[in-house]
């Protein structure tokens, strides 16, 4: 038996009606609509506070991440777990998990913004832990509902963190370059 099948069988054997309801809410919180509402709200708040680089990080990583995720699904064309176990009707490809990838992009990008802000250490720690637990819960919810194989979720997290990392690096370099240019202009 493969790793993916073993994890799926284990998840299916643990299902209860009330837990399916709870997990369904968790999976919806990591879906396209919820992720985009959160990203849009954060982008607006950051822009209003004058944090343009951080707003670009959130909006840019999410917008381009969606394109990357869609492209990866078309490249790999992996089918989803079978219907008897699957509790969600969906007709797109399985690899990588879009929920896992997009929640990882959002959580990692937001974590970078939090680390850049002057906040108390305890607040930062609590927020970072919450972001990590959020993306883990979203990913596991996809397996529990048999919308994805476990390796789809693991790949989604990996691709998501890597994509966010590219944006974190890019905005940090851009921010440093911009600040250096502003300082040079000020001195002239």
């Amino acid at each position: 038996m493969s790793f993916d099948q073993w994890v799926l069988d284990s998840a299916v054997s643990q299902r209860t009606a009330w837990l399916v309801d709870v997990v369904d809410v968790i999976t919806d919180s990591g879906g396209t609509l919820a992720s985009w509402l959160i990203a849009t709200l954060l982008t607006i708040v950051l822009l209003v506070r004058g944090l343009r680089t951080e707003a670009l990080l959130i909006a840019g990583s999410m917008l381009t991440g969606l394109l990357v995720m869609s492209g990866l699904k078309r490249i790999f064309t992996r089918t989803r777990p079978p219907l008897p176990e699957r509790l969600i009707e969906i007709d797109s490809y399985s690899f990588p998990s879009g929920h896992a990838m997009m929640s990882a992009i959002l959580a990692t990008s937001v974590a970078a913004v939090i680390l850049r802000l002057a906040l108390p250490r305890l607040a930062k720690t609590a927020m970072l832990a919450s972001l990590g637990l959020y993306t883990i819960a979203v990913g596991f919810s996809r397996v529990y509902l048999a919308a994805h194989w476990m390796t789809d979720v693991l790949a989604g997290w990996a691709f998501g963190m890597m994509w966010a990392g590219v944006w974190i690096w890019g905005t940090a370099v851009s921010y440093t370059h911009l600040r250096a240019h502003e300082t040079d202009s000020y001195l002239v």
Side-chain angles (χ1 to χ4, degrees):
M1 177 183 308
S2 73
F3 170 72
D4 278 325
Q5 191 62 56
W6 175 77
V7 172
L8 180 64
D9 291 347
S10 298
V12 169
S13 71
Q14 300 299 316
R15 284 184 183 156
T16 62
W18 71 270
L19 193 51
V20 167
D21 291 340
V22 170
V23 171
D24 196 40
V25 170
I26 293 168
T27 210
D28 287 345
S29 78
T32 305
L33 179 61
S35 293
W36 285 105
L37 286 173
I38 294 166
T40 301
L41 179 63
L42 285 173
T43 300
I44 291 168
V45 168
L46 291 167
L47 286 171
V48 167
R49 292 181 161 238
L51 300 169
R52 292 183 308 224
T53 302
E54 289 75 13
L56 175 64
L57 170 58
I58 300 296
S61 65
M62 289 294 287
L63 286 169
T64 59
L66 180 63
L67 297 173
V68 169
M69 182 266 300
S70 298
L72 289 170
K73 284 183 178 283
R74 287 186 178 90
I75 290 168
F76 290 104
T77 63
R78 185 177 192 191
T79 58
R80 293 182 181 273
L83 273 176
E85 289 86 7
R86 191 170 1 126
L87 299 182
I88 294 176
E89 187 59 39
I90 191 164
D91 60 356
S92 63
Y93 292 117
S94 188
F95 186 93
S97 165
H99 281 67
M101 185 169 170
M102 297 307 294
S103 69
I105 291 170
L106 183 60
T108 304
S109 298
V110 171
V113 171
I114 289 168
L115 290 172
R116 292 177 183 178
L117 298 176
L119 297 170
R121 185 177 188 156
L122 182 59
K124 281 185 181 183
T125 302
M127 286 185 251
L128 296 174
S130 297
L131 289 168
L133 290 173
Y134 161 73
T135 195
I136 289 168
V138 168
F140 282 135
S141 76
R142 303 305 286 166
V143 175
Y144 187 80
L145 299 172
H148 285 285
W149 301 104
M150 189 66 214
T151 51
D152 300 338
V153 171
L154 293 171
W157 286 332
F159 284 129
M161 286 185 286
M162 284 188 291
W163 192 251
V166 168
W167 275 88
I168 292 164
W169 175 80
T171 56
V173 168
S174 170
Y175 179 80
T176 303
H177 179 72
L178 180 64
R179 290 295 176 234
H181 181 69
E182 287 175 355
T183 303
D184 291 344
S185 297
Y186 181 73
L187 294 174
V188 174

